[in-house]
Amino acid sequence: MNQLKNFTQSGAAPFIRNLLAAACCLVMAQAGATGFITDARQISDQEVRAGEGYYRADGKWLVYQAEVAGENPFYQIYLKNLASGKVQQVSPGIGKTTCSWVHPDQEKVLFSSTHDDPEAKAKMIAEIEQRKSGQRRSYAWDYDEFYDIYETDFEGKNIRNLTSTRGYDAEASWSPDGRLIAFASNRRAYLEQLSSEETALFNQNPSSMIDIYIMDADGSNVKRLTHTNSYDGGPFFSPDGKRIVWRRFSENGQEAEIFTMNIDGSDQKQLTRLNKMSWAPFYHPSNQYIIFATNVQGHRNFELYIVDIDGKKEPVRVTEEDGFDGLPVFTPDGQYITWTSDRTPDHKGRLFHGKWNHEKALESLGLK
């Protein structure tokens, strides 16, 4: 199958390329898309939208982003105590936020925010007026240059800026030992001298200059790990803290594939070759496979897939609902999965949760 995929990338006639791509999809679909997740249920319903939830290492806390009706139309960050069910906002409530994470053993939350943007409140008002007008815009992620990475305590106090650099700094997560932070940034477009070609590319697409970086937990010793003119983002550490998984967009921004590398940036390894939009990868705690979302089934139909950590097996389909299923994470014990889906009556994203069949995952990938 890998040989067929390589052939499709070599300039074969379009009808042959489409035929082979369809064959790849058929093989993956036949690998089994049922039985991976059972007892699936929606676990967020009070918000306008909610998604991208992550667990603390002890499984007692869940942090996620949500839009709540009120004066701010953008996502804010919320922390949920899974024992009591209590939910508390930890972000300032001004501007936009995204990409939160819980420290593995301390009462600290990591997130990105634009609340220090002098125009943050004005942008909130403008967004509300835009929505009131009834005009709908196509979805597009905002690479706001005022995004910085912050940490705060569980009460949303003692907020500290860890990056303080012009440019999009986001998509951050702590390493399993809490000593390092991996994140994505296009800061070089603001801090470095770009070539004329890079300048033109950045003006057309701000995500083109986004690379993966790593830094100490206090924001020091920042090091760039990827060096491309395409979007490298969404980094997460492996359970043993030795590697990072992320997704790399094609230069035209229409496709993305899943990669892993050592935490020093060496041994960059491509795991998928689906020639589709594959993103939001996340390690299973066993460190045997990675789950991710891809639109192999259709442009707007994102489904969850799994692939072995070496990329030697064909990815296997996990979900089979129309619409969006993405941003998957496992509970720290690996027995459950939480993801974001719009399989709701209003078709807005919510958090879903279900029992994960680890044995089936291993069998489907030929790992046992």
Side-chain angles (χ1 to χ4, degrees), residues 98-296:
T98 190
C99 306
S100 55
W101 195 258
V102 191
H103 194 278
D105 55 26
Q106 298 178 31
E107 292 192 350
K108 294 197 299 186
V109 172
L110 196 67
F111 65 98
S112 290
S113 176
T114 66
H115 66 267
D116 283 330
D117 176 3
E119 299 297 319
K121 289 185 178 181
K123 291 177 181 177
M124 290 163 52
I125 294 172
E127 179 66 21
I128 291 174
E129 293 303 314
Q130 170 74 25
R131 296 186 186 186
K132 286 181 179 178
S133 71
Q135 298 178 8
R136 299 192 64 179
R137 293 172 293 188
S138 298
Y139 174 80
W141 186 243
D142 184 1
Y143 306 105
D144 196 311
E145 66 187 74
F146 287 97
Y147 267 120
D148 272 319
I149 298 169
Y150 298 82
E151 68 172 27
T152 185
D153 59 30
F154 277 15
E155 302 300 322
K157 301 176 181 178
N158 300 310
I159 296 177
R160 181 186 176 197
N161 190 329
L162 299 178
T163 49
S164 299
T165 301
R166 188 181 175 197
Y168 173 82
D169 292 314
E171 305 170 24
S173 60
W174 274 298
S175 59
D177 60 10
R179 297 180 178 179
L180 299 170
I181 295 174
F183 66 101
S185 177
N186 63 3
R187 57 178 57 198
R188 67 187 178 98
Y190 299 91
L191 301 178
E192 300 176 10
Q193 184 68 41
L194 302 181
S195 67
S196 57
E197 292 81 4
E198 289 176 326
T199 299
L201 183 60
F202 177 73
N203 289 336
Q204 179 182 5
N205 178 17
S207 72
S208 63
M209 296 292 113
I210 296 179
D211 283 291
I212 304 296
Y213 290 76
I214 196 168
M215 64 182 177
D216 290 348
D218 63 0
S220 63
N221 296 322
V222 178
K223 178 183 178 182
R224 181 178 166 194
L225 300 182
T226 60
H227 297 77
T228 68
N229 283 339
S230 60
Y231 185 0
D232 287 300
F236 294 108
F237 289 91
S238 60
D240 59 10
K242 295 181 179 180
R243 293 186 70 82
I244 289 172
V245 65
W246 85 100
R247 51 26 179 191
R248 170 171 289 168
F249 276 63
S250 58
E251 290 191 6
N252 63 14
Q254 301 303 305
E255 301 171 358
E257 304 289 357
I258 308 303
F259 286 72
T260 67
M261 62 181 163
N262 291 327
I263 62 172
D264 64 359
S266 64
D267 190 30
Q268 296 189 9
K269 183 184 301 183
Q270 184 174 343
L271 303 189
T272 63
R273 291 172 173 80
L274 300 178
N275 302 316
K276 295 292 182 179
M277 186 62 70
S278 300
W279 64 297
F282 197 86
Y283 278 94
H284 186 266
S286 67
N287 204 28
Q288 293 178 283
Y289 54 88
I290 290 164
I291 193 165
F292 64 99
T294 185
N295 63 352
V296 168

Side-chain angles (χ1 to χ4, degrees), residues 59-111:
K60 295 180 179 180
W61 298 88
L62 174 70
V63 68
Y64 63 98
Q65 61 188 29
E67 176 190 333
V68 178
E71 296 180 353
N72 192 332
F74 301 117
Y75 281 124
Q76 290 297 300
I77 305 302
Y78 295 85
L79 185 67
K80 183 174 184 177
N81 183 305
L82 297 175
S84 68
K86 180 183 177 182
V87 175
Q88 55 209 51
Q89 182 175 323
V90 296
S91 56
I94 300 172
K96 295 168 280 189
T97 66
T98 190
C99 306
S100 55
W101 195 258
V102 191
H103 194 278
D105 55 26
Q106 298 178 31
E107 292 192 350
K108 294 197 299 186
V109 172
L110 196 67
F111 65 98

